[in-house]
């Protein structure tokens, strides 16, 4: 069952979700090569937003922004293979093809893609493969293939992986770059989601990625906003700056009061940022 936070709640064993305005979002499954992927769609606004989660949580990470987005836009979110309600991958798979399958199943011809961390990498690769289908890109603490991590990043990642593999979820959720120290409600959500969906940890290992897209970023034509939380890792801030320089016309925004999961900690402020971006001609 999907974990939800107010003002979204589950009925019928988590298959139907209601937004604050009463809009219903039913969990559906899109066929992908050798499997299926769970997705939800809501709203009927003239602009479409697709939410792509990070490499640790699943699509419920967007619960805090989902109701307000559903009231203003057509919105799709999905669980990548092995995350949330989607079955685990049994062989390496192409995340770009999976996203294309989800959008086809949801009847989406073009959209603004909002990708968090590894989801930002998926959004970039999709935009390069399907430029005419992408109206805009919002990359949140993005992890894009081709950047070389620092030793600090590798040590921190190894520590986080060790904590998660031993089930020490509370300690993992206190990683200093994910959330600010006082964000107890958001931290409890992270712990609960990881506890309810242990398959999330390690699910991304089956995802195939390209050789690296740095040399192709100049080919991106969609308006692009790069968002980082102010306490996110130095690597993330450095990569965000590089993306701003390499993607034509890209703009970068550092949001105060949060880290890697800024949309968990400051959902209303994050939605306002999205609304402003989507309002631009």
């Amino acid at each position: 069952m999907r974990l939800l936070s107010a003002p979204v709640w589950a009925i019928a064993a988590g298959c139907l979700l209601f937004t604050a305005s009463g809009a219903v979002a039913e969990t559906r499954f899109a066929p992908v090569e050798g499997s299926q992927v769970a997705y939800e769609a809501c709203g009927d606004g003239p602009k479409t937003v697709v939410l792509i989660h990070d490499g640790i949580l699943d699509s419920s990470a967007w619960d805090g922004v989902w109701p307000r987005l559903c009231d203003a836009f057509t919105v799709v979110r999905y669980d990548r293979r092995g995350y949330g309600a989607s079955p685990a991958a049994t062989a390496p798979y192409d995340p770009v093809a999976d996203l294309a399958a989800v959008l086809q199943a949801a009847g989406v011809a073009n959209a603004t893609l909002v990708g968090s961390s590894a989801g930002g990498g998926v959004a970039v690769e999709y935009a390069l493969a399907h430029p005419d289908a992408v109206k805009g890109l919002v990359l949140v603490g993005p992890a894009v293939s081709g950047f070389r991590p620092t030793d600090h990043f590798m040590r921190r990642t190894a520590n986080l992986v060790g904590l998660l593999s031993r089930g020490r979820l509370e300690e993992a959720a206190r990683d200093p770059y994910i959330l600010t120290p006082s964000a107890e409600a958001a931290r409890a959500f992270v712990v609960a989601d990881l506890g309810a969906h242990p398959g999330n940890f390690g699910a991304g290992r089956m995802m195939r990625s390209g050789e690296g897209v740095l040399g192709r970023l100049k080919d991106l034509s969609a308006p692009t906003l790069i968002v980082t939380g102010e306490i996110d890792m130095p690597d993330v801030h450095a990569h965000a700056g590089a993306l701003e320089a390499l993607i034509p016309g890209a703009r970068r925004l550092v949001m105060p009061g949060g880290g890697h999961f800024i949309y968990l900690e400051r959902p209303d402020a994050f939605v306002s940022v999205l609304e402003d971006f989507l309002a631009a001609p």
Side-chain angles (χ1 to χ4, degrees):
M1 178 184 292
R2 177 180 303 286
L3 291 174
L4 297 171
S5 57
V8 186
W9 57 94
I11 65 171
C15 293
L16 295 177
L17 310 179
F18 282 76
T19 70
S21 64
V24 179
E26 181 180 0
T27 300
R28 302 178 185 274
F29 289 87
V32 295
E33 183 180 8
S35 189
Q36 58 183 357
V37 168
Y39 75 95
E40 296 162 350
C42 71
D44 57 3
K47 295 183 177 181
T48 300
V49 176
V50 177
L51 304 172
I52 310 171
H53 65 82
D54 70 294
I56 296 178
L57 303 177
D58 47 68
S59 66
S60 64
W62 304 108
D63 280 359
V65 303
W66 176 259
R68 186 168 154 189
L69 290 177
C70 291
D71 288 342
F73 308 104
T74 299
V75 190
V76 176
R77 63 177 176 179
Y78 71 105
D79 291 328
R80 296 191 284 123
R81 295 203 205 193
Y83 294 90
S86 292
T90 56
Y93 71 94
D94 179 2
V96 171
D98 279 11
L99 175 53
V102 169
L103 297 187
Q104 181 178 15
V108 173
N110 53 67
T112 292
L113 307 181
V114 181
S116 171
S117 194
V122 174
V124 166
E125 293 190 26
Y126 183 88
L128 288 168
H130 304 280
D132 294 337
V134 179
K135 290 288 189 181
L137 287 170
V138 180
L139 309 176
V140 189
V144 175
S145 61
F147 286 109
R148 183 174 180 175
T150 63
D151 290 342
H152 171 254
F153 180 89
M154 296 304 293
R155 289 194 301 271
R156 174 263 185 175
T157 300
N159 178 65
L160 192 60
V161 167
L163 291 173
L164 290 171
S165 64
R166 296 192 296 274
R168 293 162 64 175
L169 305 184
E170 290 277 358
E171 290 181 66
R174 293 199 175 276
D175 177 278
Y177 305 106
I178 291 177
L179 300 163
T180 58
S182 62
E184 293 304 329
R187 188 167 291 105
F189 176 89
V190 171
V191 172
D193 189 50
L194 291 172
H197 301 111
N200 287 2
F201 173 62
R205 294 171 182 162
M206 300 299 286
M207 184 176 72
R208 285 201 305 266
S209 184
E211 292 294 323
V213 300
L214 297 189
R216 301 174 57 207
L217 293 176
K218 65 183 187 309
D219 298 328
L220 288 172
S221 57
T224 301
L225 175 65
I226 303 155
V227 179
T228 53
E230 66 174 335
I231 68 163
D232 208 338
M233 289 199 71
D235 278 61
V236 173
H237 286 286
H239 295 170
L243 290 171
E244 181 185 24
L246 293 169
I247 298 173
R251 182 168 63 91
R252 179 162 58 108
L253 173 66
V254 178
M255 291 186 64
H260 202 57
F261 295 146
I262 187 69
Y263 45 85
L264 280 180
E265 193 162 355
R266 300 195 61 205
D268 289 340
F270 183 78
V271 171
S272 294
V273 167
L274 288 185
E275 290 174 335
D276 289 344
F277 177 76
L278 290 162

